């Protein structure tokens, strides 16, 4: 009997303990941790409301990226007819909507059965005229709305440059704790993950969605009648727009030309020489994921780097003047793979003789070990090229946060090794620069020697069109002498006009081109980096264009074909828009 009584006591105690645990858990859920439940900090009140709320987002509230003419390039605005599921309870409503949209009522009924939340029944921009949308709204049917809806674009157009958005709760918590605390954003708010979306995220991040909402009961029926509310942020200044420097038409020309050239890995950069603003940027391959922008990544430039060596030789007692060089030899003094005979300095540049620039570099480094470094900096290849500075309360704001810094040397000991010096002089060994910085260098030479930061945006505008902030030009000390720039311009023109010049395929274009080719070998790989960096029109420089194929394996030169096509199409575009 005692044993049975003991078991009853133990069972009762366990039951009471379980009951207390259950009550404690309920107290925690209902009273203590309602706003930060579990390790994920779930707001149970918000989740409860969310489960009883059906909504349709009209605009996610994220700021816009505009091209230089003010056209949207990061989002698209399109007309749509939105239906709420409870429309099926209204007699005759479906027939009226179907008649206006020229649809069968049965098709709309079928769509309603498949959706438990609001959805778009029509978004054909050709079909949905302004008159059609007004006709729908004039019906004044609860649950039927004609609205222009905005959606972020994840399209190939300037994809690598503009970047992508997505959810990143951990970054949200770390980067925007104040906004989270105020409730203007949630941990699920989309942020910029790459490109300009990432760079300008502090300004573009949503201050609240614009949406249509209604509340439902357990069965999904409207909780407060057929009352759909329109909710939008109350701040009249947001969302803002970032006015970029991108020319939508030129960007499209570049993308089509690079695609037609069959460059599989590489891309193109186009800069306005007068303003040093980025007009277009293409990086391939591109997917909507987080793949690197090759135009902001550093690569071996090959003979394009001879512009640096040439500038130094010209500026210091004109080392190359009156001399000829045995271009049957390579930089190692052995027979060259492609013997070119005996050439003077200009011919060596046009035909890209490695021997000439290897010898000159060694002479200069003996005199001053920092000579190549100094001219790489003067021409904008060291460090980063994109606009950086204080913006608002951001001390080091970068318009190209993904941009990698250029590199010239590996070990400092290399400056004492003749072969290493020669390899560096022709853009091999440890030389690594970005296509953006090469385009910047070319622009500096074309404008007379002064280096400027590259801008991708000029200003940020409030919702009402007034300027929130702008990005002023920064003065720079980096420059070469005007005489040196003029001499380099002449050398670059000969690359195209000389019968044996490496850019002679570009000599018959409607815009005269000046530039420098480059081929950089990659150790242990059959592929090489194939470059052409130049500007046009040669007489009145307007555009700096750099194209690179990072996976060139011989055969047809896709870089020159793409360069040629872009120049032709820009000429037509300029002529049409004079």
């Amino acid at each position: 009997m005692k044993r049975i009584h003991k078991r009853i006591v133990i069972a009762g105690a366990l039951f009471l303990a379980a009951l207390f645990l259950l009550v404690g858990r309920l107290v925690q859920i209902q009273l203590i941790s309602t706003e930060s439940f579990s390790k994920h900090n779930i707001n149970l009140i918000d989740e409860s409301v969310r489960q009883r709320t059906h909504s349709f987002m009209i605009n996610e509230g994220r700021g816009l990226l505009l091209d230089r003419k003010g056209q949207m390039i990061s989002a698209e605005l399109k007309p749509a007819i939105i239906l709420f599921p409870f429309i099926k309870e209204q007699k005759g409503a479906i027939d009226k909507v179907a008649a206006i949209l020229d649809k069968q009522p049965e098709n709309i009924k079928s769509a309603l059965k498949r959706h438990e939340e609001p959805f778009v029944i029509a978004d054909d921009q050709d079909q949905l005229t302004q008159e059609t949308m007004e006709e729908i709204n004039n019906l004044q049917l609860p649950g039927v709305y004609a609205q222009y809806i905005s959606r972020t674009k994840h399209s190939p157009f300037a994809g690598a440059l503009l970047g992508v958005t997505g959810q990143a709760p951990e970054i949200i918590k770390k980067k925007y704790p104040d906004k989270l605390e105020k409730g203007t954003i949630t941990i699920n708010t989309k942020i910029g993950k790459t490109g300009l979306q990432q760079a300008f995220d502090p300004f573009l991040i949503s201050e609240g969605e614009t949406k249509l909402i209604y509340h439902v009961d357990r069965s999904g029926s409207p909780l407060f009648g057929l009352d759909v509310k329109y909710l939008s942020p109350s701040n009249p200044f947001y969302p803002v727009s970032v006015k970029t420097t991108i020319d939508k038409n030129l960007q499209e020309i570049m993308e089509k030309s690079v695609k037609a050239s069959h460059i599989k890995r590489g891309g193109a950069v186009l800069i306005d020489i007068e303003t040093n603003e980025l007009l277009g940027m293409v990086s391939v391959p591109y997917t909507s994921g987080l793949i690197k922008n090759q135009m902001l990544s550093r690569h071996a430039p090959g003979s394009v780097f001879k512009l640096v060596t040439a500038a130094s030789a010209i500026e210091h007692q004109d080392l190359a003047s009156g001399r000829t060089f045995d271009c049957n030899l390579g930089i190692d003094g052995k027979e060259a793979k492609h013997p070119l005979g005996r050439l003077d300095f200009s011919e060596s540049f046009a035909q890209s003789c490695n021997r000439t620039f290897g010898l000159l570099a060694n002479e200069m480094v003996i005199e001053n070990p920092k000579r190549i470094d100094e001219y790489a900096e003067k021409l904008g290849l060291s460090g980063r090229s994109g606009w950086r500075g204080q913006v608002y309360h951001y001390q080091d704001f970068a318009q190209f946060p993904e941009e990698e810094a250029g590199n010239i040397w590996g070990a400092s000991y290399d400056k004492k090794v003749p072969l290493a010096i020669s390899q560096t002089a022709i853009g091999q060994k440890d030389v690594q620069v970005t296509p953006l910085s090469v385009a910047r260098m070319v622009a500096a030479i074309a404008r007379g020697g002064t280096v400027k930061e590259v801008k991708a945006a000029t200003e940020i505008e409030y919702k009402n069109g007034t300027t929130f902030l702008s990005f002023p030009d920064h003065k720079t000390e980096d420059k070469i002498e005007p005489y040196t720039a003029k001499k380099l311009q002449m050398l670059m023109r000969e690359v195209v006009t000389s019968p044996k010049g490496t850019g002679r395929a570009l000599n018959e274009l409607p815009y005269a081109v000046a530039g420098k080719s480059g081929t950089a070998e990659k150790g242990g790989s059959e592929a090489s980096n194939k470059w052409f960096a130049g500007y046009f029109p040669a007489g009145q420089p307007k555009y700096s264009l750099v194209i690179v194929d990072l996976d060139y394996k011989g055969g047809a030169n896709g870089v020159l074909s793409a360069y040629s096509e872009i120049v032709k199409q820009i000429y037509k575009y300029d002529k049409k828009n004079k």
Side-chain angles (χ1 to χ4, degrees):
M1 196 71 180
K2 287 182 179 180
R3 185 177 295 177
I4 294 174
H5 182 267
K6 187 177 181 180
R7 287 177 179 175
I8 292 173
V9 171
I10 293 172
L14 290 173
F15 174 78
L16 287 173
L19 183 61
F20 281 127
L21 285 172
L22 180 60
V23 170
R25 186 64 164 170
L26 288 172
V27 168
Q28 180 191 17
I29 293 172
Q30 296 289 341
L31 301 176
I32 299 173
S33 302
T34 53
E35 296 185 8
S36 57
F37 180 69
S38 82
K39 65 179 180 180
H40 301 292
N41 293 319
I42 297 171
N43 189 314
L44 296 175
I45 297 174
D46 288 346
E47 286 300 304
S48 175
V49 172
R50 187 184 65 80
Q51 289 176 13
R52 298 196 309 273
T53 303
H54 285 184
S55 65
F56 182 88
M57 184 180 70
I58 295 172
N59 187 323
E60 66 184 3
R62 186 170 179 80
L64 299 171
L65 294 173
L66 310 177
D67 76 353
R68 68 197 295 113
K69 296 177 182 177
Q71 297 180 334
M72 286 193 300
I73 53 177
S74 64
E76 55 185 351
L77 193 66
K78 61 181 182 179
I81 308 301
I82 305 156
L83 296 186
F84 283 71
F86 61 74
I87 185 183
K88 57 191 173 187
E89 307 299 334
Q90 302 177 58
K91 188 176 180 180
I94 293 176
D95 292 334
K96 292 177 182 178
V97 173
I100 294 174
L101 297 180
D102 195 24
K103 291 180 178 288
Q104 292 295 324
E106 293 305 318
N107 291 341
I108 296 179
K109 290 176 182 178
S110 177
L112 285 164
K113 288 179 181 178
R114 297 194 303 270
H115 292 85
E116 295 181 356
E117 297 203 357
F119 66 99
V120 172
I121 191 65
D123 60 0
D124 188 324
Q125 298 195 28
D126 295 327
Q127 179 189 12
L128 294 181
T129 62
Q130 187 66 33
E131 291 76 15
T132 302
M133 295 180 70
E134 288 177 1
E135 197 173 350
I136 286 288
N137 285 332
N138 286 338
L139 292 174
Q140 295 187 343
L141 291 171
V144 183
Y145 303 92
Q147 287 275 352
Y148 282 93
I149 60 176
S150 175
R151 295 291 182 266
T152 300
K153 285 198 296 190
H154 290 297
S155 66
F157 175 80
L161 172 63
L162 300 184
V164 298
T165 60
Q167 294 181 351
E170 293 307 315
I171 295 178
I172 285 275
K173 292 175 188 176
K174 182 178 179 181
K175 197 172 180 181
Y176 303 111
D178 293 343
K179 289 180 180 289
L180 266 178
E181 187 175 341
K182 291 177 183 177
T184 56
I185 64 173
T186 72
I187 59 171
N188 294 319
T189 297
K190 289 182 179 179
I191 64 169
K193 290 191 168 183
T194 61
L196 299 184
Q197 291 282 14
Q198 178 190 3
F200 294 94
D201 193 63
F203 306 100
L204 296 175
I205 192 167
S206 175
E207 294 288 328
E209 299 174 346
T210 297
K211 53 190 175 182
L212 297 169
I213 69 167
Y214 78 112
H215 302 283
V216 298
D217 59 20
R218 181 180 295 180
S219 65
S221 300
L223 192 59
F224 305 116
L226 305 181
D227 184 20
V228 175
K229 295 182 179 180
Y230 181 89
L231 294 182
S232 65
S234 58
N235 193 327
F237 295 104
Y238 288 86
V240 300
S241 296
V242 175
K243 192 171 185 181
T244 73
T245 61
I246 304 304
D247 187 304
K248 192 173 182 180
N249 295 291
L250 299 184
Q251 177 71 27
E252 288 173 349
I253 287 172
M254 294 171 67
E255 291 184 359
K256 289 178 182 177
S257 301
V258 170
K259 183 177 181 180
S261 72
H262 303 294
I263 293 174
K264 303 299 182 185
R265 183 170 171 263
V269 179
L270 183 69
I271 290 176
D272 182 307
I273 289 174
E274 182 181 358
T275 62
N276 225 52
E277 294 173 353
L278 182 71
L279 296 174
M281 179 180 284
V282 179
S283 177
V284 291
Y286 173 74
T287 66
S288 59
L290 304 180
I291 195 165
K292 287 178 70 173
N293 185 339
Q294 299 295 347
M295 300 303 97
L296 301 177
S297 303
R298 60 192 190 189
H299 314 281
S303 292
V304 167
F305 193 77
K306 288 174 183 173
L307 284 162
V308 173
T309 311
S312 181
I314 293 166
E315 207 152 283
H316 285 81
Q317 301 176 353
D318 217 1
L319 290 177
S321 180
R323 296 172 63 181
T324 60
F325 304 86
D326 187 357
C327 292
N328 287 325
L329 302 178
I331 56 174
D332 57 1
K334 299 178 182 178
E335 185 177 350
K337 291 182 180 178
H338 305 287
L340 300 172
R342 197 155 194 93
L343 304 177
D344 63 20
F345 181 63
S346 295
E347 292 168 332
S348 294
F349 191 89
Q351 297 180 45
S352 207
C353 170
N354 291 337
R355 178 69 173 173
T356 300
F357 293 90
L359 288 172
L360 289 172
N362 271 277
E363 292 174 18
M364 291 185 287
V365 170
I366 289 172
E367 181 185 328
N368 179 358
K370 295 182 178 180
R371 179 68 53 77
I372 293 177
D373 311 61
E374 290 173 356
Y375 277 81
E377 186 172 348
K378 283 187 175 187
L379 284 167
L381 290 185
S382 299
R384 293 177 174 83
S385 302
W387 193 98
R388 302 176 80 92
Q390 182 173 351
V391 174
Y392 204 40
H393 53 264
Y394 300 99
Q395 295 296 322
D396 190 28
F397 183 87
Q399 291 193 0
F400 299 97
E402 299 159 298
E403 182 190 5
E404 296 177 353
N407 181 75
I408 308 303
W409 298 94
S412 58
Y413 181 77
D414 286 345
K415 294 181 181 181
K416 299 179 181 179
V417 180
L419 183 58
I421 294 170
S422 295
Q423 289 173 323
T424 301
I426 63 171
Q428 293 278 181
K429 195 69 172 67
D430 296 297
V431 181
Q432 297 270 309
V433 295
T434 67
L436 180 68
S437 67
V438 173
R440 177 197 191 195
M441 171 178 68
V442 169
I445 293 168
R447 78 167 65 90
T450 303
V451 174
K452 296 181 179 180
E453 288 176 311
V454 182
K455 283 185 189 177
T458 53
E459 62 185 16
I460 299 177
E461 298 175 345
Y462 283 122
K463 187 178 180 179
N464 62 7
T466 59
T467 300
F468 169 34
L469 57 86
S470 57
F471 300 94
D473 292 335
H474 292 141
K475 289 185 179 180
T476 176
E477 300 298 322
D478 296 336
K479 63 181 179 179
I480 53 175
E481 295 298 326
Y483 167 78
T484 306
K486 192 68 177 177
K487 181 69 175 177
L488 288 175
Q489 291 171 14
M490 294 169 61
L491 292 173
M492 294 170 77
R493 183 64 181 138
E494 286 184 39
V495 168
V496 177
T497 58
S498 171
K500 294 184 180 180
T502 55
R504 59 187 179 277
L506 305 175
N507 194 29
E508 301 298 326
L509 297 177
Y511 272 148
V513 174
K516 183 71 189 81
S517 62
T519 303
E521 297 177 355
K522 297 189 283 189
S525 172
E526 295 180 1
S528 59
N529 297 340
K530 198 77 171 176
W531 297 71
F532 195 85
Y535 64 90
F536 57 94
Q540 295 179 309
K542 187 176 181 181
Y543 303 102
S544 168
L545 174 63
V546 170
I547 301 181
V548 59
D549 182 349
L550 298 170
D551 196 25
Y552 180 69
K553 296 178 181 176
N557 190 333
V559 168
L560 290 182
S561 65
Y563 210 102
S564 176
E565 187 61 22
I566 290 173
V567 172
K568 289 177 184 176
Q569 294 304 319
I570 290 180
Y571 175 81
K572 289 180 181 178
Y573 175 74
D574 285 349
K575 195 172 182 181
K576 183 179 177 180
N577 291 278
K578 272 188 176 180

